[in-house]
Amino acid sequence: MPTLAEQFGAPNIVGRPPLEPGQPAADFALPALNREGTVSLSDYLGTSGLFLAIERGLYCPFCRRHIAQLGSTARGLKTLGVDVLAIVATPPERAKAYLKYRPAPVALAADPRSEIHRAYGLPKFSGAPEILATMASVPVNPFGTLPEPRPLKEAAEALSKDDPYEFTDADQEAWNAEQVQTTGQFLIDRHGIVRWRNVEGEREGLSGLARFPSDEEVLHAARSL
């Protein structure tokens, strides 16, 4: 099955290749969203492993649902000495306004310019009309909550009915800038080395759009840290 990169072609990919297991994780220092101050990779080094979930902006209903489900992931990882941090490409003020009504079960940080996506090598594709049309038509059911897979746009609208999100100018600006940004998850050991990764669409191609690793997959990987 072709990957997203093979599907859309190298000229349409922006950025460096994803970080590989065995490579040092990219450092960062970002505004924390559910506490004061900043959060950085160095906060975890020497004390715990880190499951780093790099999401799109909170305008993405798939990412909002994944953040909600990270609560159960975090409980399992805690027993293995691994903390969880999710990064969202949303301005801090906008993100905090949303979280006031929808508190997150894990630590969150804001990266409105998607700098961490680039640092970790998560592919970004051009917003060419043919790419957007192809992606919008892909049938997905990433959380198994729909009666059957639906085109990506319809699935997003269905999820949003349970978790309404009002677009602001900041959200629209982020959406325009991020087209089409993939997500990714990285397991980082307490020495700051990437030990496992999952990149959206890297293995399943188009059928992997909006999919996230299961708790079982993440816990299996974390046991080898």
Side-chain angles (χ1 to χ4, degrees):
M1 183 175 297
T3 65
L4 289 183
E6 293 167 339
Q7 178 81 30
F8 296 133
N12 287 307
I13 303 174
V14 179
R16 50 157 292 163
L19 290 182
E20 298 273 2
Q23 291 183 313
D27 199 4
F28 54 83
L30 300 169
L33 292 176
N34 33 21
R35 63 172 176 79
E36 296 300 320
T38 61
V39 60
S40 67
L41 178 62
S42 60
D43 293 341
Y44 302 92
L45 298 183
T47 58
S48 70
L50 178 65
F51 179 70
L52 182 66
I54 307 174
E55 316 281 358
R56 286 179 281 272
L58 286 173
Y59 63 77
C60 169
F62 304 108
C63 298
R64 298 199 304 273
R65 178 65 64 90
H66 183 234
I67 289 169
Q69 292 195 350
L70 282 175
S72 66
T73 309
R75 288 190 291 273
L77 289 175
K78 195 68 176 177
T79 64
L80 300 174
V82 178
D83 289 324
V84 174
L85 173 67
I87 294 176
V88 295
T90 299
E93 298 77 10
R94 176 66 184 111
K96 289 181 178 181
Y98 170 79
L99 294 170
K100 181 177 179 181
Y101 299 98
R102 294 273 187 170
V106 296
L108 285 184
D111 177 28
R113 297 182 180 179
S114 300
E115 294 176 351
I116 306 307
H117 288 85
R118 293 191 291 274
Y120 281 77
L122 295 177
K124 179 180 178 180
F125 300 92
S126 75
E130 60 272 19
I131 290 180
L132 294 177
T134 297
M135 297 182 78
S137 65
V138 174
V140 300
N141 188 11
F143 302 101
T145 55
L146 303 175
E148 59 184 6
R150 297 184 187 177
L152 188 70
K153 184 177 179 181
E154 291 182 19
E157 292 171 348
L159 287 179
S160 291
K161 290 181 179 178
D162 296 328
D163 179 19
Y165 188 86
E166 182 179 353
F167 262 59
T168 65
D169 290 343
D171 293 311
Q172 190 62 55
E173 183 178 348
W175 161 247
N176 293 340
E178 285 191 318
Q179 297 186 54
V180 175
Q181 178 66 62
T182 58
T183 64
Q185 302 80 38
F186 295 82
L187 268 171
I188 303 167
D189 68 20
R190 64 184 59 199
H191 304 294
I193 303 299
V194 174
R195 295 302 180 188
W196 174 90
R197 79 172 189 209
N198 177 75
V199 176
E200 184 179 15
E202 184 176 50
R203 291 174 293 180
E204 311 96 331
L206 286 172
S207 64
L209 288 176
R211 285 189 182 177
F212 299 90
S214 66
D215 283 0
E216 291 75 15
E217 184 178 359
V218 174
L219 291 173
H220 176 76
R223 291 188 183 101
S224 65
L225 287 182

